[in-house]
Amino acid sequence: MAGGKLSPRQKMINLMYLIFIAMLALNMSKEVLSAFGLLNEKLEASNIKADQNNLAFLGGLETKASENAEKYSKLYEKATKIKDLSQEYYSYLEGLKKKMKEGLEDPTEYEVMDKTDFLDQRFFQGDNLSKEGKEFMKRINDYRTQVATILSDEQFKEVRTSANARFETGDKDGKVTNRDGNRLDWLNYHFEGFPLVASLTKITQIQADVKSTEQDALKAMLEDQLTGEISLSNFQTLLDQKKSVFYAGEKFDGSIVLGKTDKSSKPVRAELTLDGRKLTQDRDYALESGGVKMLISAGSAGDHELKGKLFYMQDGEEIPVDVNNVFSTINKPNAAVIAADKMNVVYRGVANPMTISIPGIPDNKVTASAPGLTKRSGSKYIMNPGKGRTIKIVASGVLPDGQRISTPAEFRIKDIPRPAGSIRGETGSAKMPRRNLEIATVGALLEDFDFDLNLAVSGFKFKVPGQPTVNVRGGKLDSRAKSALKRARRGDALQIFDIEAYITNNRTYKLKKVSPVIVEITN
């Protein structure tokens, strides 16, 4: 039958089958083009919102510079340079996008934007880059280096690192390696031969990276403070006291200060009451840089309310700031206070921070003892529990009147909970394209755990349906796993299990078995 001639009917069936396959491929292509177009629209809308936020950040920094030129004028100057540099590069990219859409009857009809010749002709000339291609590369490299120059101070290290990652253009030779192991120019790798709508979306993504870099810089300069925190009308007062509790009859030692604790801000006058009694300046309090120095007695045991207003000069007018604070006075203690900073348990395999103190006794006069307990500084201790299910800590000290206090406290010891396997930061199950899985890192997370432990993966097993299980060393797919991945079909559920994880700074502690991850391939 294989060597015989096909009948006319069979030839017609085969032809119709080929036409059907071609139609399926065409429909899939249109869906992909539409998806790129929708993604481009979302990015453009996000860029508009980011630009509004950045203008608000810049305005806030300008206000700070006007209030305190010595501290913020140089930062505002840097912010303006970043803004101008970003706007110039953003406008260049926007101009390029407008040229790409010229001649289109409907710029939102993404299904017809499948041609590749626009950027191919503008960016490439034979095996080399054209004049416009070289200009494109110069623009992105100049932006990266100029941002790093403006933000050269140590406080902007994270912003520089992020900018370098966002606008990276290959290795030192400007090359990138594709999945087949071939080295290509960065521009060829990202733009040559791509449909028009895909290239358009990539350029919009670069614009989004510009806005993100600008925002990161402005946030760093504002030190993560909101614009609303700049005006004096929104400031609150804080009670700055030498210690949290006082003995009955002891002289109170503390001050009422502004939340920003700006020592250049001195109130011009104050109207204050203590438990309803009006306080007198110079006798009960004194005006000083940054707030009000309290001269009152701590009073009897219990809570005490400080209320009233502080008045500051702003633009030639007195601006009132409400005062509403409470401090507590207690009697002399006769027992130690021992508390775990995290909870009433300590974890094996973890350096558990603890606070151990006795009110009324200086920290350097307090001693605490237990197996695995070490003192760091002041009242701060670290507990590294060993075997067993409970541990007893004993704190001792001598009060100023000579009375000795010794108090025990018992804590439960628990093991670190079972980690969850992760891929690209997702646990349980995930969906991703084949290419993303090839380069993704397998990790292990301790979800809802009170400690930030740095977990690393030394190996795992990788299973593709219909393929043998692959043992992988390290946290990424090796060549054998990638070979098995190539045989996976769209919709296949790939298993990552028997994940071997460890704590990077405690290799001796054996973690519980890590839960697996299921990855569904989307292409």
Side-chain angles (χ1 to χ4, degrees):
M1 185 66 181
K5 294 184 178 180
L6 297 176
S7 66
R9 179 176 178 277
Q10 187 62 44
K11 289 181 179 180
M12 180 60 70
I13 292 174
N14 291 350
L15 179 60
M16 292 178 65
Y17 180 78
L18 291 175
I19 293 173
F20 176 71
I21 294 299
M23 291 177 67
L24 286 178
L26 182 61
N27 289 334
M28 179 60 70
S29 176
K30 289 181 178 181
E31 291 176 358
V32 172
L33 295 174
S34 296
F36 270 114
L38 294 175
L39 177 59
N40 184 66
E41 290 180 3
K42 288 185 177 181
L43 286 172
E44 289 183 334
S46 177
N47 288 344
I48 293 174
K49 179 64 176 177
D51 188 59
Q52 295 172 349
N53 292 339
N54 290 348
L55 288 175
F57 281 126
L58 186 64
L61 192 59
E62 182 181 10
T63 302
K64 272 200 167 187
S66 66
E67 291 183 354
N68 193 337
E70 180 179 353
K71 185 175 181 180
Y72 292 103
S73 60
K74 290 184 178 180
L75 288 176
Y76 178 65
E77 182 180 349
K78 288 179 180 289
T80 303
K81 288 181 180 179
I82 289 291
K83 179 66 178 176
D84 294 342
L85 179 65
S86 298
Q87 186 58 52
E88 180 184 1
Y89 185 35
Y90 190 98
S91 298
Y92 161 76
L93 295 172
E94 190 65 23
L96 180 59
K97 287 168 57 178
K98 288 182 179 179
K99 293 178 183 178
M100 295 170 68
K101 292 186 286 188
E102 286 178 358
L104 296 175
E105 294 183 4
D106 183 0
T108 63
E109 191 175 359
Y110 303 118
E111 293 183 357
V112 302
M113 299 170 66
D114 58 347
K115 301 296 187 296
T116 68
D117 53 347
F118 182 88
L119 289 185
D120 286 355
Q121 294 175 6
R122 285 182 174 268
F123 282 175
F124 310 104
Q125 190 173 25
D127 294 334
N128 300 316
L129 298 183
S130 66
K131 181 179 179 181
E132 289 193 48
K134 293 177 180 177
E135 173 69 12
F136 186 89
M137 292 301 298
K138 182 178 183 302
R139 290 269 189 172
I140 191 170
N141 288 324
D142 285 351
Y143 181 77
R144 183 182 67 247
T145 55
Q146 290 174 22
V147 166
T149 300
I150 296 173
L151 304 177
S152 58
D153 296 338
E154 183 62 23
Q155 69 189 96
F156 305 120
K157 182 179 179 180
E158 291 186 5
V159 181
R160 292 197 307 273
T161 301
S162 297
N164 288 335
R166 289 178 179 133
F167 302 100
E168 176 268 335
T169 53
D171 58 21
K172 62 180 180 180
D173 298 322
K175 301 285 187 179
V176 293
T177 302
N178 64 12
R179 62 183 298 174
D180 297 324
N182 299 321
R183 284 170 54 78
L184 303 174
D185 285 327
W186 183 90
L187 196 60
N188 296 77
Y189 180 82
H190 284 278
F191 290 96
E192 186 176 21
F194 283 86
L196 181 64
V197 66
S199 297
L200 193 68
T201 305
K202 284 187 178 182
I203 293 176
T204 304
Q205 178 60 59
I206 296 176
Q207 289 181 312
D209 289 338
V210 171
K211 291 301 177 185
S212 296
T213 299
E214 182 183 337
Q215 187 175 82
D216 289 347
L218 292 172
K219 279 185 176 180
M221 293 173 187
L222 277 171
E223 299 175 343
D224 294 328
Q225 295 184 35
L226 299 176
T227 304
E229 295 177 330
I230 297 170
S231 174
L232 279 172
S233 62
N234 292 328
F235 271 58
Q236 293 182 346
T237 56
L238 300 173
L239 190 62
D240 182 19
Q241 55 198 70
K242 298 300 181 181
K243 54 184 179 179
S244 59
V245 295
F246 298 86
Y247 296 142
E250 182 183 8
K251 187 177 181 61
F252 179 80
D253 187 6
S255 304
I256 296 177
V257 298
L258 281 175
K260 67 174 182 176
T261 63
D262 186 349
K263 298 305 180 183
S264 64
S265 298
K266 180 178 179 179
V268 293
R269 65 186 182 92
E271 296 177 357
L272 301 173
T273 62
L274 173 62
D275 298 333
R277 176 178 65 86
K278 185 177 181 179
L279 300 181
T280 303
Q281 185 175 343
D282 296 331
R283 185 187 70 187
D284 300 315
Y285 66 87
L287 305 180
E288 63 178 19
S289 296
V292 174
K293 173 71 174 179
M294 302 305 300
L295 307 175
I296 57 177
S297 168
S300 59
D303 294 335
H304 301 280
E305 291 184 334
L306 274 171
K307 292 187 176 182
K309 294 181 183 296
L310 301 183
F311 295 88
Y312 291 83
M313 292 300 298
Q314 181 176 301
D315 299 327
E317 297 182 3
E318 286 188 359
I319 305 297
V321 179
D322 289 335
V323 177
N324 189 5
N325 299 94
V326 177
F327 69 90
S328 300
T329 303
I330 65 172
N331 292 314
K332 289 185 177 182
N334 58 8
V337 176
I338 304 174
D341 287 351
K342 293 292 183 180
M343 59 185 74
N344 65 337
V345 300
V346 289
Y347 285 92
R348 204 184 333 268
V350 173
N352 298 264
M354 305 190 74
T355 299
I356 302 176
S357 64
I358 302 176
I361 301 178
D363 293 332
N364 61 352
K365 301 294 184 180
V366 175
T367 60
S369 61
L373 183 69
T374 56
K375 186 172 183 177
R376 289 297 176 88
S377 63
S379 61
K380 301 301 179 183
Y381 291 74
I382 294 294
M383 165 58 71
N384 288 287
K387 297 179 180 180
R389 308 312 298 175
T390 62
I391 191 167
K392 181 187 291 184
I393 300 175
V394 178
S396 303
V398 179
L399 292 170
D401 59 6
Q403 180 183 353
R404 183 170 184 81
I405 297 174
S406 182
T407 302
E410 190 172 84
F411 292 84
R412 291 178 295 135
I413 301 175
K414 297 180 67 175
D415 292 319
I416 297 173
R418 180 184 184 184
S422 69
I423 186 77
R424 201 176 56 182
E426 300 178 58
T427 59
S429 62
K431 294 182 179 181
M432 66 182 67
R434 190 188 314 268
R435 174 58 181 164
N436 288 17
L437 180 56
E438 278 188 348
I439 62 177
T441 299
V442 176
L445 301 176
L446 289 168
E447 298 178 298
D448 297 326
F449 190 52
D450 291 319
F451 295 86
D452 291 328
L453 298 183
N454 190 9
L455 304 186
V457 169
S458 59
F460 59 91
K461 291 181 180 178
F462 181 69
K463 174 66 176 176
V464 174
Q467 302 296 318
T469 299
V470 180
N471 290 321
V472 180
R473 304 312 304 169
K476 289 180 175 289
L477 298 186
D478 58 18
S479 58
R480 294 182 303 129
K482 290 179 181 178
S483 177
L485 176 60
K486 290 180 180 179
R487 296 180 175 86
R489 296 174 297 179
R490 179 181 180 181
D492 276 353
L494 281 56
Q495 301 179 46
I496 298 173
F497 60 103
D498 283 356
I499 301 171
E500 300 173 8
Y502 61 91
I503 306 173
T504 55
N505 62 348
N506 189 357
R507 297 292 293 267
T508 59
Y509 183 87
K510 185 174 179 59
L511 292 168
K512 295 182 179 179
K513 187 175 181 180
V514 181
S515 60
V517 185
I518 305 298
V519 180
E520 181 181 341
I521 296 298
T522 59
N523 66 347

